Amino acid sequence: MTTGSHTISRKLAALVESLAPLILRVESGRQHPATAVAWAEELAVTTHSALGDGEEAELGLADGRTVRAELIGHDPGTDLALLKAPGAGLAGPAWVTSSDLRVGHLLLALARPGRTVRAALGIVGALGDGWRTGGGGRIERYVQAELHPPPGFAGAAVVTEDGQVAGLLAP
């Protein structure tokens, strides 16, 4: 007989395995490792602070390859950066588009601070409407993830239990 917790555990492990190819390691001038998430073909999104002052970075892919990526857009006010990595074979995940996310839902943070994907488990601690960041950027909606990730999770994908990306983990 399979217990409920065993079933949940197996589903979470399968979710991590299925999303692992979308989680990328960011190698830049920063001292600390960071993560990016595949956005669409040739594009990845990460936190602006993950890049330091550089215009270029390298992305570590799930298959072990490292590819060059160019910064093509950034917004320090919201701490977001968009990277272009030609030839990386990236494909984007499904992003949360509905308001079905509620306080108490399970979340995973998925990062690749090294060669392998890492996961941290938590819950939605709070949801909020628009606000201004300390850097002056405007955020339309935020998800507060209650989890305690180790170093290297800046830019990690915050994922719902059904595999949709709800956002990026801020440093």
Side-chain angles (χ1 to χ4, degrees), residues 110-163:
L110 301 179
R112 189 178 295 277
R115 293 199 166 272
T116 59
V117 71
R118 294 186 66 184
L121 179 64
I123 64 168
V124 175
L127 296 169
D129 292 329
W131 62 287
R132 288 220 179 268
T133 68
R138 177 88 179 134
I139 303 289
E140 291 181 24
R141 184 172 184 227
Y142 74 92
V143 176
Q144 182 177 325
E146 296 294 336
L147 47 81
H148 301 285
F153 272 65
V158 177
V159 180
T160 64
E161 74 279 356
D162 59 358

Short mmCIF file of all heavy atoms in Angstrom, two decimals, residues 110-163:
data_model
loop_
_atom_site.label_atom_id
_atom_site.label_comp_id
_atom_site.label_asym_id
_atom_site.label_seq_id
_atom_site.Cartn_x
_atom_site.Cartn_y
_atom_site.Cartn_z
N LEU A 110 13.48 25.57 -8.03
CA LEU A 110 14.42 24.73 -8.76
C LEU A 110 15.58 25.58 -9.24
O LEU A 110 15.38 26.62 -9.89
CB LEU A 110 13.73 24.08 -9.96
CG LEU A 110 12.53 23.20 -9.64
CD1 LEU A 110 11.93 22.65 -10.93
CD2 LEU A 110 12.92 22.08 -8.70
N ALA A 111 16.79 25.15 -8.92
CA ALA A 111 17.99 25.91 -9.26
C ALA A 111 19.05 24.96 -9.80
O ALA A 111 18.98 23.74 -9.62
CB ALA A 111 18.51 26.63 -8.03
N ARG A 112 20.04 25.54 -10.46
CA ARG A 112 21.19 24.78 -10.94
C ARG A 112 22.45 25.57 -10.58
O ARG A 112 23.11 26.15 -11.44
CB ARG A 112 21.10 24.55 -12.45
CG ARG A 112 22.14 23.57 -12.98
CD ARG A 112 21.98 23.32 -14.47
NE ARG A 112 20.73 22.67 -14.81
CZ ARG A 112 20.51 21.36 -14.75
NH1 ARG A 112 21.45 20.55 -14.34
NH2 ARG A 112 19.33 20.86 -15.09
N PRO A 113 22.82 25.60 -9.29
CA PRO A 113 24.02 26.33 -8.90
C PRO A 113 25.30 25.62 -9.30
O PRO A 113 26.37 26.23 -9.37
CB PRO A 113 23.90 26.43 -7.38
CG PRO A 113 23.03 25.29 -7.00
CD PRO A 113 22.09 25.07 -8.15
N GLY A 114 25.19 24.34 -9.58
CA GLY A 114 26.31 23.52 -10.06
C GLY A 114 25.87 22.77 -11.30
O GLY A 114 25.05 23.24 -12.07
N ARG A 115 26.38 21.57 -11.47
CA ARG A 115 26.03 20.79 -12.67
C ARG A 115 24.66 20.13 -12.61
O ARG A 115 24.08 19.80 -13.63
CB ARG A 115 27.08 19.72 -12.91
CG ARG A 115 28.42 20.31 -13.30
CD ARG A 115 29.27 19.25 -13.97
NE ARG A 115 30.40 19.87 -14.64
CZ ARG A 115 30.38 20.31 -15.88
NH1 ARG A 115 29.29 20.22 -16.59
NH2 ARG A 115 31.44 20.85 -16.42
N THR A 116 24.14 19.92 -11.42
CA THR A 116 22.85 19.24 -11.30
C THR A 116 21.79 20.17 -10.74
O THR A 116 22.09 21.16 -10.07
CB THR A 116 22.96 18.01 -10.37
OG1 THR A 116 23.40 18.44 -9.08
CG2 THR A 116 23.96 16.99 -10.92
N VAL A 117 20.55 19.83 -11.03
CA VAL A 117 19.44 20.63 -10.53
C VAL A 117 19.25 20.35 -9.04
O VAL A 117 19.47 19.23 -8.58
CB VAL A 117 18.15 20.36 -11.34
CG1 VAL A 117 17.59 18.99 -11.07
CG2 VAL A 117 17.10 21.42 -11.09
N ARG A 118 18.87 21.38 -8.30
CA ARG A 118 18.57 21.26 -6.88
C ARG A 118 17.17 21.78 -6.64
O ARG A 118 16.67 22.61 -7.39
CB ARG A 118 19.57 22.06 -6.05
CG ARG A 118 20.98 21.49 -6.15
CD ARG A 118 21.93 22.17 -5.25
NE ARG A 118 21.56 21.91 -3.85
CZ ARG A 118 22.20 22.45 -2.82
NH1 ARG A 118 23.20 23.26 -3.01
NH2 ARG A 118 21.81 22.19 -1.60
N ALA A 119 16.54 21.30 -5.58
CA ALA A 119 15.17 21.70 -5.29
C ALA A 119 15.04 22.06 -3.81
O ALA A 119 15.73 21.52 -2.96
CB ALA A 119 14.20 20.57 -5.62
N ALA A 120 14.16 23.01 -3.55
CA ALA A 120 13.78 23.38 -2.18
C ALA A 120 12.26 23.42 -2.15
O ALA A 120 11.62 23.92 -3.08
CB ALA A 120 14.36 24.73 -1.79
N LEU A 121 11.68 22.87 -1.10
CA LEU A 121 10.22 22.79 -0.98
C LEU A 121 9.71 23.85 -0.03
O LEU A 121 10.32 24.12 1.00
CB LEU A 121 9.83 21.40 -0.46
CG LEU A 121 8.35 21.12 -0.25
CD1 LEU A 121 7.60 21.17 -1.57
CD2 LEU A 121 8.16 19.76 0.42
N GLY A 122 8.58 24.44 -0.37
CA GLY A 122 7.95 25.43 0.49
C GLY A 122 6.48 25.58 0.13
O GLY A 122 5.91 24.74 -0.57
N ILE A 123 5.90 26.67 0.60
CA ILE A 123 4.51 26.96 0.30
C ILE A 123 4.37 28.43 -0.09
O ILE A 123 5.27 29.23 0.12
CB ILE A 123 3.59 26.68 1.52
CG1 ILE A 123 3.94 27.60 2.69
CG2 ILE A 123 3.62 25.22 1.91
CD1 ILE A 123 2.90 27.58 3.81
N VAL A 124 3.22 28.74 -0.66
CA VAL A 124 2.88 30.15 -0.91
C VAL A 124 2.55 30.75 0.45
O VAL A 124 1.61 30.33 1.11
CB VAL A 124 1.68 30.28 -1.86
CG1 VAL A 124 1.27 31.74 -2.01
CG2 VAL A 124 1.98 29.66 -3.21
N GLY A 125 3.37 31.70 0.88
CA GLY A 125 3.15 32.35 2.16
C GLY A 125 2.23 33.56 2.07
O GLY A 125 1.51 33.87 3.01
N ALA A 126 2.28 34.24 0.92
CA ALA A 126 1.44 35.42 0.72
C ALA A 126 1.35 35.71 -0.77
O ALA A 126 2.25 35.36 -1.54
CB ALA A 126 2.02 36.63 1.45
N LEU A 127 0.27 36.33 -1.15
CA LEU A 127 0.07 36.84 -2.51
C LEU A 127 -0.25 38.31 -2.39
O LEU A 127 -0.92 38.73 -1.45
CB LEU A 127 -1.09 36.11 -3.20
CG LEU A 127 -0.91 34.62 -3.44
CD1 LEU A 127 -2.23 33.99 -3.87
CD2 LEU A 127 0.14 34.39 -4.51
N GLY A 128 0.23 39.09 -3.33
CA GLY A 128 -0.04 40.51 -3.23
C GLY A 128 -0.22 41.16 -4.58
O GLY A 128 0.23 40.65 -5.61
N ASP A 129 -0.91 42.28 -4.55
CA ASP A 129 -1.10 43.07 -5.75
C ASP A 129 0.13 43.93 -5.98
O ASP A 129 1.13 43.81 -5.29
CB ASP A 129 -2.34 43.95 -5.60
CG ASP A 129 -3.62 43.12 -5.57
OD1 ASP A 129 -3.63 42.05 -6.21
OD2 ASP A 129 -4.58 43.54 -4.91
N GLY A 130 0.04 44.83 -6.92
CA GLY A 130 1.15 45.66 -7.33
C GLY A 130 1.82 46.45 -6.21
O GLY A 130 1.18 46.81 -5.24
N TRP A 131 3.11 46.68 -6.39
CA TRP A 131 3.89 47.48 -5.46
C TRP A 131 5.16 47.94 -6.15
O TRP A 131 5.51 47.46 -7.22
CB TRP A 131 4.20 46.70 -4.18
CG TRP A 131 5.03 45.46 -4.39
CD1 TRP A 131 4.61 44.29 -4.94
CD2 TRP A 131 6.39 45.28 -4.08
NE1 TRP A 131 5.62 43.39 -4.99
CE2 TRP A 131 6.74 43.95 -4.46
CE3 TRP A 131 7.37 46.07 -3.52
CZ2 TRP A 131 8.02 43.44 -4.30
CZ3 TRP A 131 8.65 45.55 -3.35
CH2 TRP A 131 8.95 44.25 -3.73
N ARG A 132 5.84 48.87 -5.54
CA ARG A 132 7.12 49.37 -6.06
C ARG A 132 8.26 48.72 -5.29
O ARG A 132 8.22 48.63 -4.07
CB ARG A 132 7.22 50.88 -5.92
CG ARG A 132 6.34 51.60 -6.87
CD ARG A 132 7.06 52.83 -7.44
NE ARG A 132 6.18 53.50 -8.38
CZ ARG A 132 6.18 53.24 -9.68
NH1 ARG A 132 7.00 52.38 -10.19
NH2 ARG A 132 5.36 53.88 -10.48
N THR A 133 9.27 48.29 -6.03
CA THR A 133 10.43 47.69 -5.39
C THR A 133 11.32 48.77 -4.79
O THR A 133 11.15 49.96 -5.10
CB THR A 133 11.26 46.89 -6.42
OG1 THR A 133 11.86 47.82 -7.34
CG2 THR A 133 10.41 45.89 -7.17
N GLY A 134 12.29 48.35 -4.02
CA GLY A 134 13.26 49.30 -3.47
C GLY A 134 14.06 49.98 -4.56
O GLY A 134 14.55 51.09 -4.38
N GLY A 135 14.19 49.33 -5.73
CA GLY A 135 14.90 49.90 -6.86
C GLY A 135 14.04 50.78 -7.73
O GLY A 135 14.48 51.29 -8.75
N GLY A 136 12.75 50.96 -7.37
CA GLY A 136 11.86 51.83 -8.11
C GLY A 136 11.04 51.16 -9.18
O GLY A 136 10.24 51.80 -9.85
N GLY A 137 11.24 49.86 -9.38
CA GLY A 137 10.48 49.13 -10.40
C GLY A 137 9.06 48.85 -9.94
O GLY A 137 8.77 48.81 -8.75
N ARG A 138 8.18 48.65 -10.87
CA ARG A 138 6.78 48.36 -10.58
C ARG A 138 6.52 46.87 -10.82
O ARG A 138 6.75 46.36 -11.91
CB ARG A 138 5.87 49.20 -11.47
CG ARG A 138 4.41 48.93 -11.29
CD ARG A 138 3.84 49.79 -10.19
NE ARG A 138 2.42 49.51 -10.09
CZ ARG A 138 1.80 49.31 -8.96
NH1 ARG A 138 2.44 49.40 -7.82
NH2 ARG A 138 0.52 49.07 -8.92
N ILE A 139 6.05 46.18 -9.80
CA ILE A 139 5.67 44.77 -9.89
C ILE A 139 4.15 44.72 -9.85
O ILE A 139 3.53 45.31 -8.96
CB ILE A 139 6.24 43.97 -8.69
CG1 ILE A 139 7.75 44.09 -8.60
CG2 ILE A 139 5.79 42.52 -8.74
CD1 ILE A 139 8.52 43.36 -9.65
N GLU A 140 3.54 44.04 -10.80
CA GLU A 140 2.08 43.97 -10.86
C GLU A 140 1.49 43.01 -9.84
O GLU A 140 0.39 43.20 -9.37
CB GLU A 140 1.63 43.59 -12.26
CG GLU A 140 1.91 44.67 -13.27
CD GLU A 140 1.44 44.29 -14.66
OE1 GLU A 140 0.54 43.44 -14.79
OE2 GLU A 140 1.99 44.85 -15.61
N ARG A 141 2.23 41.95 -9.53
CA ARG A 141 1.75 40.95 -8.59
C ARG A 141 2.95 40.20 -8.04
O ARG A 141 3.93 40.00 -8.75
CB ARG A 141 0.83 39.97 -9.31
CG ARG A 141 0.21 38.95 -8.41
CD ARG A 141 -0.84 38.14 -9.17
NE ARG A 141 -1.47 37.23 -8.22
CZ ARG A 141 -1.69 35.96 -8.44
NH1 ARG A 141 -1.36 35.44 -9.59
NH2 ARG A 141 -2.24 35.21 -7.53
N TYR A 142 2.88 39.79 -6.80
CA TYR A 142 3.98 39.00 -6.27
C TYR A 142 3.48 37.78 -5.53
O TYR A 142 2.36 37.71 -5.06
CB TYR A 142 4.90 39.85 -5.37
CG TYR A 142 4.33 40.16 -4.01
CD1 TYR A 142 4.59 39.32 -2.93
CD2 TYR A 142 3.56 41.29 -3.80
CE1 TYR A 142 4.08 39.60 -1.67
CE2 TYR A 142 3.04 41.57 -2.55
CZ TYR A 142 3.31 40.73 -1.50
OH TYR A 142 2.81 41.01 -0.26
N VAL A 143 4.37 36.78 -5.49
CA VAL A 143 4.15 35.55 -4.75
C VAL A 143 5.26 35.47 -3.73
O VAL A 143 6.44 35.50 -4.09
CB VAL A 143 4.21 34.31 -5.68
CG1 VAL A 143 4.07 33.03 -4.86
CG2 VAL A 143 3.16 34.40 -6.77
N GLN A 144 4.90 35.41 -2.47
CA GLN A 144 5.91 35.24 -1.42
C GLN A 144 6.05 33.75 -1.15
O GLN A 144 5.11 33.10 -0.68
CB GLN A 144 5.51 35.97 -0.14
CG GLN A 144 6.55 35.86 0.95
CD GLN A 144 6.16 36.65 2.17
OE1 GLN A 144 5.55 37.72 2.06
NE2 GLN A 144 6.50 36.14 3.34
N ALA A 145 7.21 33.22 -1.47
CA ALA A 145 7.47 31.79 -1.27
C ALA A 145 8.12 31.60 0.10
O ALA A 145 9.13 32.21 0.40
CB ALA A 145 8.40 31.28 -2.36
N GLU A 146 7.51 30.77 0.91
CA GLU A 146 8.06 30.44 2.23
C GLU A 146 8.90 29.18 2.07
O GLU A 146 8.39 28.06 2.09
CB GLU A 146 6.94 30.21 3.24
CG GLU A 146 6.08 31.43 3.50
CD GLU A 146 6.84 32.55 4.18
OE1 GLU A 146 7.86 32.31 4.85
OE2 GLU A 146 6.41 33.71 4.01
N LEU A 147 10.18 29.38 1.82
CA LEU A 147 11.12 28.28 1.71
C LEU A 147 12.49 28.78 2.07
O LEU A 147 12.72 29.98 2.14
CB LEU A 147 11.09 27.63 0.32
CG LEU A 147 11.11 28.52 -0.91
CD1 LEU A 147 12.50 28.99 -1.26
CD2 LEU A 147 10.53 27.76 -2.07
N HIS A 148 13.39 27.88 2.33
CA HIS A 148 14.74 28.26 2.77
C HIS A 148 15.77 27.63 1.85
O HIS A 148 16.37 26.60 2.18
CB HIS A 148 14.96 27.85 4.23
CG HIS A 148 13.98 28.48 5.14
ND1 HIS A 148 14.05 29.80 5.50
CD2 HIS A 148 12.87 28.00 5.73
CE1 HIS A 148 13.03 30.10 6.29
NE2 HIS A 148 12.30 29.01 6.44
N PRO A 149 15.97 28.24 0.67
CA PRO A 149 16.91 27.67 -0.29
C PRO A 149 18.37 27.94 0.10
O PRO A 149 18.68 28.95 0.73
CB PRO A 149 16.56 28.40 -1.58
CG PRO A 149 16.06 29.72 -1.12
CD PRO A 149 15.33 29.45 0.17
N PRO A 150 19.26 27.05 -0.29
CA PRO A 150 20.68 27.27 -0.05
C PRO A 150 21.25 28.28 -1.06
O PRO A 150 20.53 28.70 -1.98
CB PRO A 150 21.29 25.88 -0.26
CG PRO A 150 20.33 25.18 -1.15
CD PRO A 150 18.98 25.75 -0.86
N PRO A 151 22.52 28.65 -0.94
CA PRO A 151 23.14 29.57 -1.92
C PRO A 151 23.04 29.02 -3.34
O PRO A 151 23.02 27.81 -3.55
CB PRO A 151 24.60 29.63 -1.47
CG PRO A 151 24.56 29.29 -0.01
CD PRO A 151 23.44 28.30 0.14
N GLY A 152 22.96 29.93 -4.30
CA GLY A 152 22.88 29.53 -5.70
C GLY A 152 21.47 29.51 -6.24
O GLY A 152 21.24 29.18 -7.40
N PHE A 153 20.50 29.87 -5.40
CA PHE A 153 19.10 29.83 -5.84
C PHE A 153 18.61 31.18 -6.36
O PHE A 153 17.45 31.30 -6.71
CB PHE A 153 18.21 29.33 -4.70
CG PHE A 153 18.07 27.83 -4.65
CD1 PHE A 153 19.16 27.03 -4.38
CD2 PHE A 153 16.85 27.22 -4.89
CE1 PHE A 153 19.05 25.65 -4.33
CE2 PHE A 153 16.72 25.84 -4.85
CZ PHE A 153 17.83 25.06 -4.58
N ALA A 154 19.45 32.20 -6.42
CA ALA A 154 19.03 33.48 -7.01
C ALA A 154 18.66 33.23 -8.46
O ALA A 154 19.43 32.64 -9.22
CB ALA A 154 20.15 34.50 -6.93
N GLY A 155 17.46 33.62 -8.86
CA GLY A 155 16.97 33.39 -10.21
C GLY A 155 16.28 32.05 -10.40
O GLY A 155 15.86 31.72 -11.51
N ALA A 156 16.17 31.26 -9.35
CA ALA A 156 15.55 29.94 -9.44
C ALA A 156 14.09 30.05 -9.85
O ALA A 156 13.40 31.02 -9.54
CB ALA A 156 15.64 29.21 -8.10
N ALA A 157 13.60 29.03 -10.55
CA ALA A 157 12.20 28.96 -10.91
C ALA A 157 11.39 28.57 -9.68
O ALA A 157 11.74 27.63 -8.97
CB ALA A 157 11.98 27.92 -12.00
N VAL A 158 10.33 29.31 -9.40
CA VAL A 158 9.39 28.96 -8.34
C VAL A 158 8.22 28.28 -9.04
O VAL A 158 7.54 28.90 -9.85
CB VAL A 158 8.94 30.20 -7.54
CG1 VAL A 158 7.91 29.81 -6.49
CG2 VAL A 158 10.14 30.88 -6.91
N VAL A 159 8.02 27.00 -8.75
CA VAL A 159 7.14 26.13 -9.53
C VAL A 159 5.99 25.62 -8.68
O VAL A 159 6.19 25.22 -7.52
CB VAL A 159 7.95 24.94 -10.09
CG1 VAL A 159 7.08 24.02 -10.91
CG2 VAL A 159 9.13 25.45 -10.91
N THR A 160 4.80 25.60 -9.26
CA THR A 160 3.63 25.04 -8.59
C THR A 160 3.65 23.52 -8.69
O THR A 160 4.40 22.95 -9.49
CB THR A 160 2.33 25.57 -9.21
OG1 THR A 160 2.26 25.10 -10.57
CG2 THR A 160 2.27 27.09 -9.17
N GLU A 161 2.78 22.87 -7.94
CA GLU A 161 2.74 21.40 -7.94
C GLU A 161 2.29 20.82 -9.27
O GLU A 161 2.51 19.64 -9.53
CB GLU A 161 1.85 20.87 -6.80
CG GLU A 161 0.36 21.04 -7.03
CD GLU A 161 -0.19 22.42 -6.72
OE1 GLU A 161 0.56 23.30 -6.24
OE2 GLU A 161 -1.38 22.63 -6.96
N ASP A 162 1.72 21.64 -10.15
CA ASP A 162 1.35 21.13 -11.46
C ASP A 162 2.35 21.51 -12.56
O ASP A 162 2.07 21.36 -13.74
CB ASP A 162 -0.07 21.55 -11.84
CG ASP A 162 -0.27 23.05 -11.88
OD1 ASP A 162 0.69 23.79 -11.57
OD2 ASP A 162 -1.37 23.49 -12.23
N GLY A 163 3.51 22.02 -12.15
CA GLY A 163 4.59 22.27 -13.09
C GLY A 163 4.61 23.63 -13.74
O GLY A 163 5.42 23.88 -14.63
#
